Amino acid sequence: MKTKLSLVSAAVLSATLLVMPAVSQAAIPLAVDGQQLPSLAPMLEKTTPAVVAVAVEGTHVSKQRLPDAFRYFFGPNAPREQVQERPFKGLGSGVIIDASKGYIVTNNHVIEGADKILIGLHDGREIEAKLIGTDAETDIALLQIKAKNLTALKRADSDELRVGDFTVAIGNPFGLGQTVTSGIVSAMGRSGLGIEMLENFIQTDAAINSGNSGGALVNLNGELIGINTAIVAPGGGNVGIGFAIPANMVSNLVSQLIEHGEVRRGVLGVSGRDLDNELAQGFGLDTQHGGFVNEVMPDSAADKAGIKAGDIIVSINDKPIKSFQELRAKIGTMGAGAKVKLGIIRDGDKKAVTAVLGEASQTTEAAAGAVHPMLAGATLENVDKGVAITEVAQGSPAASIGLLKGDVIVGINRNNIEDLKELKAELKDSHGAVALKIRRDNNYLYLVLR
């Protein structure tokens, strides 16, 4: 691969050469007329010690239902499932966010299922890590190590990022060792990719490859702006489209993991959709950014704050939002009890309201959407031998697949489920289309999730 000058260096060098005599050089000089060229090296010398390698070992357990013919052959005491265990190893990256306490952030998918997590520091030390907590819906995990002389990254305000800002990705791709790439912010608020349940990604063209997951995306001050998480890679390698979880969202999640050992997700209590051109024209609006509120759940945080169906939510804590998905992701990563200032448009007038977020529970629409995107809009509640649908929001994904109030989910494909926990586990282990077995009145039917 050919060496390229960083974007910052290229821009400054071009400006310099316009006002200075041409100098014939066989290679890029360290200085021109005594003026040293800009370099990312001084910033990286301070930053790279905070990015670590994460090596994991564990055992994958897979269950396969035995066909009825085999169970008949082996007798009535034959097991219903065949269990297989397969050892695995994996590599990823992590970021030290607190040097004194040894806290390290990485991706949940990097450490998921691991029995042992080993941290490789920049100075060559290897230290076993303790898992503090994870959040699968946002793909964040918090680790802790006991070590001295650690370096941590300072967090930037990721809400201040703009398209075109320079970025630097640091990680351990392909197990090669620490690698640094540079680029720009290509887009903000990316969602609808199906990578995670709650998506509000920073998109960057800084090269991100396998093994970069959990690594740092920093600005030119060496401040953390995001955690590298995913790539669009049809051929299996970098094609210039990578995604990072914004640092502000990470900070909200980490504070909950430290305090509770889990994420206690905040809930606003609305269902809705992105504001599009058709809706904007129908409501006579001059904006096409925001979240349109289809329905407000009774006694929810939104209801108590005075939000009404037909409102368009355009900002959170004075920061503009582009879509309902961005609203959902930001609210979902704030803790229960958080006080949130929401900017809304109602009948063409701008208003500001304050909501105190409720806590996601087994009976919230937000919890349903976290279980599976096509269940969003349904209110779930555990009942005897199943999960009941107590409400279905009009126009929601749950309504579109045919769920009705009073339905009870009793199985996934050929497996029975008894509660929301089992429903979530079955859907997580399933790939492609899955069939929900529904008890409706005294009959059974299947509805397909894709």
Side-chain angles (χ1 to χ4, degrees), residues 372 374-375 401 403 412 427 432-436 447-450:
H372 192 284
M374 293 307 296
L375 294 180
I401 65 171
L403 280 173
I412 300 294
L427 288 175
V434 295
L436 296 180
L447 299 177
V448 178
L449 303 180
R450 299 185 184 276

Side-chain angles (χ1 to χ4, degrees), residues 355-428:
V356 179
L357 300 182
E359 183 174 352
S361 68
Q362 294 181 335
T363 60
T364 64
E365 175 274 334
V371 171
H372 192 284
M374 293 307 296
L375 294 180
T379 303
L380 308 180
E381 183 174 295
N382 284 333
V383 293
D384 184 38
K385 303 294 183 181
V387 177
I389 310 298
T390 59
E391 294 289 342
V392 179
Q394 184 178 0
S396 66
S400 71
I401 65 171
L403 280 173
L404 300 177
K405 180 179 178 179
D407 286 350
V408 178
I409 304 172
V410 296
I412 300 294
N413 296 332
R414 298 177 62 186
N415 297 331
N416 294 329
I417 62 106
E418 295 197 357
D419 53 29
L420 185 60
K421 183 178 180 180
E422 289 188 6
L423 171 65
K424 186 174 181 179
E426 288 287 344
L427 288 175
K428 183 179 179 181

Side-chain angles (χ1 to χ4, degrees), residues 176-349:
L176 294 172
Q178 195 171 82
T179 301
V180 176
T181 55
S182 65
I184 62 169
V185 173
S186 307
M188 294 292 296
R190 284 292 194 222
S191 61
L193 304 172
I195 299 170
E196 297 168 8
M197 292 296 184
L198 296 174
E199 297 180 342
N200 180 37
F201 292 120
I202 301 166
Q203 181 181 318
T204 180
D205 66 347
I208 297 174
N209 289 287
S210 177
N212 273 106
S213 292
L217 190 69
V218 303
N219 60 21
L220 295 187
N221 293 322
E223 298 166 327
L224 184 69
I225 57 176
I227 297 295
N228 300 323
T229 296
I231 59 174
V232 171
N238 171 65
V239 292
I241 302 178
F243 301 102
I245 304 168
N248 288 4
M249 285 178 56
V250 174
S251 180
N252 289 337
L253 294 164
V254 164
S255 63
Q256 296 174 62
L257 292 173
I258 292 174
E259 183 175 357
H260 307 296
E262 63 180 3
V263 170
R264 297 185 177 177
R265 205 173 305 287
V267 174
L268 184 59
V270 298
S271 64
R273 55 179 289 190
D274 295 346
L275 181 66
D276 56 21
N277 183 57
E278 186 177 355
L279 272 175
Q281 288 182 351
F283 280 80
L285 301 175
D286 58 2
T287 180
Q288 295 183 22
H289 296 303
F292 180 82
V293 179
N294 286 342
E295 183 181 10
V296 178
M297 308 304 170
D299 298 321
S300 65
D303 188 25
K304 294 173 183 177
I307 296 175
K308 299 179 180 179
D311 288 348
I312 295 97
I313 302 176
V314 294
S315 67
I316 300 177
N317 293 333
D318 297 321
K319 306 289 185 180
I321 60 167
K322 292 184 177 181
S323 65
F324 191 84
Q325 290 296 327
E326 183 178 353
L327 168 70
R328 180 173 173 263
K330 287 190 172 182
I331 291 295
T333 52
M334 294 179 181
K339 186 177 291 186
V340 182
K341 180 182 178 183
L342 299 170
I344 65 173
I345 297 177
R346 179 184 298 163
D347 300 328
D349 297 325

